[in-house]
């Protein structure tokens, strides 16, 4: 047999004897470790649920905890195989720096998620407006916030944009004002129209008594007297109050003979002859 070939076989045998068992053990530990991590993360989620940890914070902490455990598992396996931990950590650090530079936007979203969960400008279930979108906060993840709009559309917003822009939270105070406008003709009785509209607001099941609803003259427009109708409701009842008050108000004003005008233009012609 060729001496070189025999030497190569000997080295291969020595390598298999020296590292084969370690590699097999590393694979087994990896599989078992990932299974254990999944179980630990699930148990952690249940514990947080029992202790009534904020819903917005649960998903974030579970994801972060799972990632940290997986990194520790990989470092342990690398050390078992024979890779020096210091070198491995240095490699991870260098790779992390390269990935960080390439994924600046993603890291900004991560930082934004931390800021949202730390300062809590909103939580899951709140009705908010951000980045030109209005909707109920469905989920808060590490990188994105998910809204459900009144049209049942799912809007996914990057956390960096949400945390660095204006946020309007309609749920914080527990009540929201519904802004409506009714136009009546100049010939109609303003007090009668106000009483009709106030009667509708006071009898509406979703309009709050405190703060009290308000109806007043908002503008003397070109062809109408515009009445500002301002009921208060719970955020969840906003659209119900908005649409039903408009409908009931129109029907009640029509029944009372109060005219709701439409824009008109009077044209005067002069005969030059």
């Amino acid at each position: 047999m060729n001496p070189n070939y025999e030497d190569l076989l000997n080295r291969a045998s020595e390598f298999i004897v020296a590292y084969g068992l370690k590699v097999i053990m590393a694979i087994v530990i990896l599989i078992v470790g990932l299974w254990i991590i999944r179980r630990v993360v699930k148990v952690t989620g249940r514990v947080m649920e029992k202790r009534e940890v904020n819903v917005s914070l649960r998903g974030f902490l579970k994801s972060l905890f799972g990632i940290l455990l997986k990194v520790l598992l990989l470092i342990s396996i690398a050390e078992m195989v024979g890779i020096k931990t210091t070198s491995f950590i240095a490699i991870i650090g260098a790779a992390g720096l390269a990935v960080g530079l390439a994924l600046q936007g993603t890291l900004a979203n991560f930082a934004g998620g931390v800021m949202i969960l730390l300062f809590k400008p909103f939580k899951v279930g709140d009705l908010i407006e951000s980045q030109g979108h209005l909707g109920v906060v469905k989920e808060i993840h590490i990188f994105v916030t998910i809204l459900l709009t009144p049209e049942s559309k799912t809007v996914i917003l990057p956390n960096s944009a949400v945390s660095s822009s204006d946020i309007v939270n309609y749920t914080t105070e527990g009540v929201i004002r519904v802004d409506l406008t009714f136009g009546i003709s100049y010939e109609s009785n303003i007090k009668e129209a106000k009483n009709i509209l106030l009667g509708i607001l006071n009898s509406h099941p979703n309009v709050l008594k405190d703060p009290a609803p308000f109806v007043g003259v908002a503008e003397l427009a070109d062809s109408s007297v515009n009445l500002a109708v301002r009921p208060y409701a719970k955020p969840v009842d906003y659209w119900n109050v908005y649409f039903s008050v408009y409908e009931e108000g129109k029907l009640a004003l029509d029944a009372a003979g109060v005219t709701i005008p439409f824009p008109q233009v009077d044209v005067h012609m002069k005969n030059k002859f």
Side-chain angles (χ1 to χ4, degrees):
M1 182 180 291
N2 190 319
N4 292 332
Y5 183 70
E6 185 177 354
D7 183 58
L8 183 62
L9 284 177
N10 290 333
R11 290 184 180 182
S13 300
E14 291 175 2
F15 180 82
I16 292 173
V17 171
Y19 295 99
L21 184 59
K22 291 183 178 180
V23 171
I24 293 172
M25 287 297 297
I27 293 173
V28 172
I29 291 174
L30 177 63
I31 295 172
V32 174
L34 290 175
W35 180 82
I36 292 174
I37 288 173
R38 284 195 296 270
R39 298 291 298 175
V40 169
V41 170
K42 284 185 180 179
V43 171
T44 303
R46 291 171 186 169
V47 171
M48 288 191 292
E49 185 177 354
K50 288 182 179 179
R51 296 194 175 185
E52 298 182 351
V53 176
N54 188 286
V55 177
S56 307
L57 196 58
R58 289 180 204 165
F60 183 87
L61 290 178
K62 284 172 63 179
S63 300
L64 187 60
F65 188 48
I67 291 171
L68 290 175
L69 289 178
K70 289 174 183 177
V71 170
L72 291 175
L73 177 63
L74 290 176
I75 292 175
S76 300
I77 291 174
E79 188 173 0
M80 178 184 302
V81 172
I83 300 174
K84 292 183 178 180
T85 307
T86 52
S87 302
F88 188 68
I89 293 175
I91 292 172
I92 291 178
L97 178 60
V99 172
L101 292 174
L103 301 176
Q104 293 183 34
T106 302
L107 293 177
N109 288 332
F110 175 81
V114 172
M115 296 296 289
I116 290 172
L117 292 170
L118 183 63
F119 293 103
K120 298 179 181 179
F122 56 83
K123 61 183 183 299
V124 172
D126 284 0
L127 176 65
I128 70 168
E129 185 175 354
S130 179
Q131 297 293 297
H133 297 283
L134 174 70
V136 175
V137 179
K138 189 176 180 182
E139 297 175 49
I140 302 174
H141 292 290
I142 295 176
F143 302 114
V144 298
T145 294
I146 300 177
L147 302 184
L148 183 64
T149 70
E151 300 87 3
S152 294
K153 297 178 181 178
T154 299
V155 179
I156 302 174
L157 300 176
N159 283 337
S160 61
V162 176
S163 63
S164 61
S165 64
D166 294 338
I167 301 171
V168 181
N169 192 329
Y170 295 99
T171 307
T172 303
E173 298 299 322
V175 298
I176 184 171
R177 192 181 75 182
V178 185
D179 292 350
L180 309 171
T181 301
F182 283 82
I184 63 174
S185 66
Y186 277 90
E187 291 76 19
S188 298
N189 188 308
I190 293 177
K191 290 185 177 180
E192 181 184 6
K194 288 176 60 178
N195 289 334
I196 291 172
L197 294 173
L198 277 173
I200 291 172
L201 298 181
N202 289 327
S203 61
H204 197 290
N206 297 126
V207 173
L208 300 176
K209 301 297 185 290
D210 184 23
F214 167 82
V215 178
V217 177
E219 181 185 14
L220 301 178
D222 293 337
S223 56
S224 65
V225 177
N226 292 333
L227 301 180
V229 180
R230 302 290 184 261
Y232 287 85
K234 295 180 180 178
V236 69
D237 297 323
Y238 179 89
W239 292 112
N240 175 271
V241 172
Y242 182 91
F243 292 117
S244 60
V245 170
Y246 261 135
E247 180 178 348
E248 293 177 21
K250 173 65 166 64
L251 294 174
L253 292 175
D254 287 346
V258 177
T259 306
I260 299 179
F262 51 87
Q264 302 178 51
V265 177
D266 293 334
V267 179
H268 301 275
M269 300 182 65
K270 292 184 179 181
N271 191 343
K272 295 183 178 180
F273 300 100

